[in-house]
Amino acid sequence: MTPFLEVTDIDIAYPPKRVVEGVSFKMAEAAIGCLLGPSGCGKTTLLRAIAGFEPVQRGLIWLEGVELSRPHWTLPPEQRRIGMMFQDLALFPHLTVADNVAFGLRSWKAAERWARVHELLNVVGLDEYAQRYPHQISGGQQQRVALARALAPRPRLLLLDEPFSSLDVALREDLAHEIRAILLREGIGGLLVSHDQFEAFAFADQIGVLNQGRLLQWDSAYNLYHRPADHFVADFIGQGVFLPGRMGEGSRVCTELGDIDGIPPAGCAPGDPVEVLVRPDDVTHDDSSPLMAEVVERAFRGAEFLYTLKLDSGARLLCLAASHHNHQAGQRIGIRLEIDHLVVFQRALGAMNEA
Amino acid sequence: MPLKRPSVQWPWHGLLALILLGLAIGLWVATKRVNYEWRWARVPQYFFYQAEDTQAAPVAGTINKINPNGAYSQVDITPANGGQAVSLTVETDTLKVKIGDPVAEGDGIGAQRHWKIGPLSWGLWVTIWISFVSGLIGLFIGLITGLCRLSPNPALRGLAVFYIELIRGTPLLVQIFIFYFFIGTVLNLDRIVAGIGALALFVGAYTAEIIRAGIQSIAKGQTEAARSLGMTAAQTMTHIVLPQALKRVLPPLAGQFISLIKDSSLVSVIAITDLTKSGREIITSSFATFEIWFTVALLYLVVTSLLSQLLFWLERRFARSD
């Protein structure tokens, strides 16, 4: 299968600063992806380059086998057939909801145009608001209008630049699910930019984690969580702590919690210092376990407690325990490690203070 | 203790009334001291006056019959050489003949009066239409220049900056002289055309800056949204950016247009009979210097305040859709 969207080794710079460096990834047709990263990591710039608003200094962007961007050449945004939902929505304040949605359909015949407008307003549940102006509807409704407007001309790909960031958390995930469903139904691919991993998990099948302009990993949410490719991804996705250890024989890693089987990073010799990623759900509470730790902090999460534990060595650990295991700070509790895939990174000297 | 006491307003209104009254008294005393004699009654005739049209006998003959009919009288003249009686209508109080009077051809029988527009009204009209036409042309020039000012093309941008700086850095009076005496002579322009041209170029430069600011005030996202929906840069400008920008710059544009009405008084220096020039001409014949200048000022004030009311209303109407 040839990839639908293909981003190959691109650099984007606002001289003298390089904002995106050597990013490559591929997406299949009608696939839904997400670029995830902290603010300032270059994810929005990357998205804008795909939309055609930023030129690339190096590399290529292809869509459906057609070149969109190369150094010193950028196909104008209006010729890319890529829709975009903006962070500030950018609805046209002087046009009604219906005219906003119809805006991208200027070349269509009137009958087809209005049929499409009503079809989309029905999809997003706003047909009765067609004659309102954007300032006369709520934030969530504006979001839907922006979606309908972007989808109306049947783009090949929809780019979403943190469009949910102005909404409250509950509405955010609902809308992410809803838009995902609409995209799947319309058979349009989507690429979301977000700094919120739960939004990313709710929306996308494939997620790319960016930091400081580099794409660290392009993978499924499951793999990002369980098989992070590097220290930053492991730290950024989900919670967890890095426990220092040392490589033993074969695939054994020796830690203060005992020897654990894991896949050693390439080029690791026995005796090398390593760190082991321990997620809160890898640590279970077991009163009968000989391994003891002191409760330092606890956070009630409803169904469970998130305990911060201190080991005898002083290292910290997070533990997720069912909420009927109610322990106070200062208590010593028994714990057990239940790690399916052990994530081991080579420990650089001086990286000890992380986590 | 209440944080905000209802403030007492009336003493301040009283003070305002006193100050205004003081100014009026001062003015009155000042004119008394120079022994100025106010002749306000002379002013209205310069707005409208009754012109008398003398009705002359078309033929020599005798007045045969005078048939009074209210304010008008019908006068029949029997021609001396025979033939059909000729009849004339004149206003009764202007009648100069009696029945039986002989008249020669061209003798005045009486007059018909009719209202004519006086020089002040005419001058006001000239001021209004010159301002309107130059404002319209200036808006067009400003729009084009404002767009050029934002163009990525350095030649267009440079030209726009050059024009704006040139106009904003020189006095309008000098521009009018240059336009009339230099450009007007070279291109053989009528004085009205030269006056309108100078005003339009002047207002165009200021309008360009207003429009540029308006365009720049529209969020970049609006342009990007339109582009990603398949519009070219030019379509985006006409359908998305300009409609919003023009709405936003309506108040400063209105201010500019109101200024233009006042600035148009300067075209009187190239002998265009606008309101100011009319005022000056009337003073030479009426000697009512104070009255005429006050009247001229009041007329400008009436026009500009009516216009600002209209634009205020327009602005509120437009504001409904944002």
Side-chain angles (χ1 to χ4, degrees):
Chain A
M1 186 196 66
T2 54
F4 183 67
L5 173 69
E6 196 172 1
V7 173
T8 315
D9 199 20
I10 63 168
D11 278 8
I12 305 166
Y14 300 124
K17 196 171 171 283
R18 256 196 283 180
V19 184
V20 171
E21 268 186 274
V23 168
S24 303
F25 67 91
K26 291 172 184 173
M27 269 172 67
E29 186 162 7
I32 295 180
C34 174
L35 297 170
L36 180 65
S39 42
C41 71
K43 56 190 190 299
T44 296
T45 307
L46 182 55
L47 194 77
R48 291 171 54 80
I50 297 170
F53 298 128
E54 306 287 348
V56 298
Q57 269 68 44
R58 192 164 66 96
L60 301 168
I61 302 174
W62 287 63
L63 183 68
E64 268 188 320
V66 176
E67 193 175 53
L68 298 186
S69 291
R70 63 167 185 263
H72 312 297
W73 186 82
T74 308
L75 185 71
E78 65 268 22
Q79 291 171 28
R80 298 191 168 206
R81 288 192 53 211
I82 293 179
M84 187 148 173
M85 253 179 104
F86 294 84
Q87 187 164 11
D88 65 351
L89 302 184
L91 291 180
F92 304 133
H94 61 303
L95 300 178
T96 60
V97 165
D99 287 336
N100 262 280
V101 178
F103 191 80
L105 310 176
R106 303 183 71 91
S107 57
W108 291 31
K109 284 196 201 103
E112 287 169 30
R113 179 165 67 229
W114 295 113
R116 177 75 175 151
V117 168
H118 288 295
E119 177 195 338
L120 278 163
L121 286 178
N122 273 318
V123 166
V124 297
L126 286 175
D127 205 28
E128 58 192 295
Y129 295 95
Q131 293 314 314
R132 301 267 189 103
Y133 281 93
H135 71 280
Q136 295 169 319
I137 57 177
S138 73
Q141 289 167 337
Q142 290 180 358
Q143 221 92 24
R144 286 156 211 265
V145 175
L147 174 70
R149 181 181 72 176
L151 290 180
R154 299 190 205 280
R156 299 180 290 188
L157 177 67
L158 180 69
L159 305 178
L160 305 99
D161 181 10
E162 303 205 33
F164 314 123
S165 56
S166 63
L167 301 178
D168 56 71
V169 179
L171 195 55
R172 211 184 274 191
E173 264 179 60
D174 282 353
L175 207 61
H177 276 299
E178 200 180 313
I179 292 181
R180 178 186 163 81
I182 292 172
L183 286 177
L184 290 175
R185 198 172 338 140
E186 296 258 326
I188 294 171
L191 185 58
L192 173 76
V193 152
S194 179
H195 60 264
D196 176 349
Q197 48 185 300
F198 298 106
E199 192 177 289
F201 296 160
F203 187 77
D205 302 311
Q206 281 184 303
I207 298 167
V209 178
L210 280 111
N211 189 38
Q212 296 181 336
R214 294 187 170 278
L215 184 64
L216 302 175
Q217 190 172 1
W218 176 258
D219 219 327
S220 67
Y222 183 90
N223 283 348
L224 289 178
Y225 189 82
H226 291 291
R227 297 194 189 100
D230 94 338
H231 187 99
F232 179 85
V233 177
D235 198 27
F236 188 72
I237 302 288
Q239 284 175 303
V241 292
F242 292 97
L243 210 57
R246 208 161 272 283
M247 282 310 298
E249 286 303 318
S251 60
R252 302 294 290 173
V253 182
C254 313
T255 70
E256 64 176 292
L257 297 177
D259 289 0
I260 316 164
D261 253 325
I263 307 138
C268 242
D272 278 354
V274 290
E275 50 189 4
V276 173
L277 172 66
V278 184
R279 299 281 193 198
D281 52 323
D282 293 336
V283 181
T284 43
H285 176 37
D286 183 357
D287 287 324
S288 61
S289 167
L291 209 54
M292 302 290 277
E294 186 190 327
V295 176
V296 180
E297 242 179 60
R298 55 183 205 147
F300 185 62
R301 292 276 178 90
E304 62 239 341
F305 273 115
L306 180 68
Y307 287 110
T308 307
L309 306 174
K310 194 169 85 180
L311 298 178
D312 293 334
S313 67
R316 305 268 163 141
L317 215 55
L318 294 171
C319 166
L320 215 49
S323 78
H324 55 266
H325 292 288
N326 191 359
H327 298 285
Q328 305 300 322
Q331 248 181 308
R332 287 178 69 80
I333 59 170
I335 52 167
R336 195 155 42 80
L337 282 186
E338 273 185 9
I339 304 182
D340 281 343
H341 332 274
L342 185 68
V343 178
V344 186
F345 296 115
Q346 198 153 16
R347 180 155 45 114
L349 294 168
M352 288 288 297
N353 297 333
E354 289 246 16
Chain B
M1 198 188 93
L3 279 173
K4 202 175 169 190
R5 272 180 301 175
S7 56
V8 183
Q9 295 281 322
W10 67 264
W12 298 109
H13 289 301
L15 182 66
L16 175 67
L18 265 174
I19 291 172
L20 292 180
L21 191 69
L23 281 173
I25 291 173
L27 196 70
W28 182 72
V29 170
T31 54
K32 274 284 171 220
R33 296 239 329 241
V34 296
N35 290 321
Y36 190 79
E37 202 180 318
W38 292 95
R39 297 188 190 87
W40 282 105
R42 287 188 184 177
V43 175
Q45 60 175 319
Y46 295 112
F47 285 96
F48 294 102
Y49 65 95
Q50 277 198 316
E52 289 197 347
D53 237 356
T54 303
Q55 302 290 305
V59 291
T62 320
I63 303 296
N64 174 29
K65 200 167 101 189
I66 295 178
N67 193 6
N69 181 15
Y72 291 91
S73 299
Q74 194 184 333
V75 180
D76 289 359
I77 303 168
T78 310
N81 57 359
Q84 279 283 296
V86 185
S87 91
L88 287 171
T89 305
V90 299
E91 299 202 20
T92 310
D93 57 342
T94 64
L95 203 60
K96 290 180 186 162
V97 292
K98 298 191 297 288
I99 294 174
D101 282 359
V103 288
E105 186 182 336
D107 278 359
I109 305 293
Q112 277 191 357
R113 291 200 192 92
H114 55 95
W115 286 102
K116 278 191 97 164
I117 288 177
L120 272 184
S121 307
W122 183 250
L124 181 63
W125 162 244
V126 170
T127 286
I128 290 173
W129 83 258
I130 282 186
S131 306
F132 182 76
V133 172
S134 48
L136 217 58
I137 300 172
L139 184 65
F140 182 72
I141 295 175
L143 195 63
I144 303 293
T145 312
L147 289 172
C148 288
R149 181 82 174 68
L150 294 171
S151 160
N153 182 328
L156 287 177
R157 211 169 51 226
L159 265 178
V161 171
F162 175 70
Y163 158 63
I164 292 168
E165 290 307 314
L166 192 70
I167 296 293
R168 295 211 306 181
T170 51
L172 175 58
L173 187 59
V174 173
Q175 289 166 23
I176 290 173
F177 282 136
I178 292 176
F179 216 96
Y180 180 55
F181 290 113
F182 175 63
I183 301 173
T185 309
V186 170
L187 299 179
N188 195 19
L189 295 181
D190 181 66
R191 66 178 79 248
I192 292 274
V193 177
I196 289 177
L199 286 178
L201 276 183
F202 175 77
V203 82
Y206 287 86
T207 306
E209 284 295 272
I210 293 173
I211 287 183
R212 177 188 62 81
I215 291 174
Q216 283 178 331
S217 78
I218 302 300
K220 213 172 120 202
Q222 292 282 313
T223 307
E224 291 179 348
R227 294 296 293 278
S228 73
L229 287 168
M231 294 288 112
T232 63
Q235 287 172 318
T236 302
M237 187 54 81
T238 49
H239 291 112
I240 295 300
V241 179
L242 278 183
Q244 293 181 58
L246 288 180
K247 199 161 92 178
R248 210 170 276 186
V249 300
L250 195 64
L253 272 186
Q256 194 60 52
F257 191 66
I258 287 169
S259 289
L260 173 66
I261 291 178
K262 297 177 289 172
D263 293 338
S264 74
S265 65
L266 288 174
V267 298
S268 61
V269 299
I270 55 169
I272 292 175
T273 313
D274 73 329
L275 183 52
T276 305
K277 179 91 188 322
S278 301
R280 268 186 11 215
E281 283 172 358
I282 292 164
I283 287 163
T284 59
S285 64
S286 71
F287 302 105
T289 316
F290 291 8
E291 293 87 334
I292 295 298
W293 282 130
F294 281 137
T295 307
V296 166
L298 186 72
L299 287 174
Y300 277 113
L301 188 65
V302 166
V303 173
T304 52
S305 11
L306 281 179
L307 196 68
S308 47
Q309 286 301 311
L310 175 77
L311 286 154
F312 180 65
W313 174 79
L314 263 179
E315 214 180 295
R316 270 195 321 189
R317 241 183 80 99
F318 278 159
R320 274 185 219 158
S321 66
D322 346 272

